[in-house]
Amino acid sequence: GESVGLHLPTLSVQEGDNSIINCAYSNSASDYFIWYKQESGKGPQFIIDIRSNMDKRQGQRVTVLLNKTVKHLSLQIAATQPGDSAVYFCAENPSSNTGKLIFGQGTTLQVKP
Amino acid sequence: DTAVSQTPKYLVTQMGNDKSIKCEQNLGHDTMYWYKQDSKKFLKIMFSYNNKELIINETVPNRFSPKSPDKAHLNLHINSLELGDSAVYFCASSPNDRGLDYEQYFGPGTRLTVT
């Protein structure tokens, strides 16, 4: 069946270090992937996205890497800050014919001062 | 100024009751969604509407009925509430529902507690 998973439920990093959050997806037909950040008590917030015809995309302090061979997605956050503490979700769109997103279970990022 | 708003933010009710959650977006988007997030933070799509037309209807009990009076509003009505309906419900919207590069904007969520 369709599923998107994350390798670790919780990631704890020191402020200033780089963070890497991983995600494995199962649908090889998925052509669009998104990372969302959810702070406590709020809705998910878009961070960055990537199409399946790319293997890397950079934003401000964030980079998403896509490895279609092993169906793996990662989010790298440079110089992690306390404000980055949140739950991070990867999501895939299994079909460009609909807006359906399949979300992974989330990784909690804890930033230690 | 809120892009996607939901009311109420908290809803506590007893089993068997009927309740509604309202959602409005002022982004001019064509597509709106309802998601359910369980206690383990798992987020799953329930419905989506595009220009008031139902597009996605996942395996959701028919006690849940979305209603879209216009493309800026998508309400969720739940009949005969059960304990298992307790969750946080998120509304979202996106410019369209086809193709790539559509970003879904989420509302703040409604925490539903059924006792």
Side-chain angles (χ1 to χ4, degrees), chain A residues 30-90:
Chain A
S30 291
D31 52 15
Y32 182 57
F33 304 88
I34 309 176
W35 279 100
Y36 279 90
K37 172 187 179 183
Q38 185 178 21
E39 296 175 271
S40 181
K42 297 183 179 180
Q45 180 183 8
F46 174 91
I47 301 173
I48 192 168
D49 58 1
I50 189 168
R51 299 184 185 185
S52 60
N53 62 354
M54 303 169 68
D55 53 20
K56 180 178 180 179
R57 193 171 187 205
Q58 287 184 296
Q60 189 175 12
R61 279 201 309 120
V62 295
T63 301
V64 55
L65 299 177
L66 175 63
N67 185 331
K68 293 182 291 294
T69 303
V70 296
K71 291 185 283 188
H72 183 269
L73 194 67
S74 69
L75 176 71
Q76 300 178 359
I77 304 173
T80 312
Q81 302 169 359
D84 295 327
S85 294
V87 178
Y88 289 81
F89 295 92
C90 62

Side-chain angles (χ1 to χ4, degrees), chain B:
Chain B
D1 292 327
T2 306
V4 182
S5 60
Q6 297 178 226
T7 54
K9 187 167 177 63
Y10 300 96
L11 183 54
V12 181
T13 188
Q14 293 183 327
M15 287 175 55
N17 286 347
D18 303 338
K19 290 294 180 184
S20 292
I21 306 172
K22 296 185 176 181
C23 178
E24 176 181 3
Q25 55 96 2
N26 62 6
L27 298 166
H29 289 168
D30 285 343
T31 309
M32 297 184 72
Y33 310 80
W34 277 110
Y35 286 85
K36 178 180 180 180
Q37 187 172 47
D38 64 21
S39 58
K40 296 182 180 179
K41 295 285 190 180
F42 185 62
L43 197 61
K44 184 172 170 59
I45 191 167
M46 301 171 69
F47 304 101
S48 80
Y49 270 72
N50 188 63
N51 272 318
K52 302 196 298 175
E53 177 188 354
L54 181 65
I55 301 298
I56 296 173
N57 185 352
E58 291 293 287
T59 308
V60 177
N62 56 18
R63 298 182 295 103
F64 290 78
S65 53
K67 288 184 172 53
S68 183
D70 54 62
K71 75 172 193 178
H73 296 84
L74 181 62
N75 304 322
L76 184 65
H77 188 75
I78 315 171
N79 288 327
S80 303
L81 279 155
E82 301 177 356
L83 292 177
D85 298 332
S86 295
V88 181
Y89 292 84
F90 287 100
C91 177
S93 74
S94 64
N96 56 61
D97 74 328
R98 304 281 168 145
L100 305 175
D101 294 329
Y102 63 92
E103 176 183 336
Q104 293 187 22
Y105 294 77
F106 282 78
T110 295
R111 181 175 292 278
L112 172 65
T113 304
V114 183
T115 61

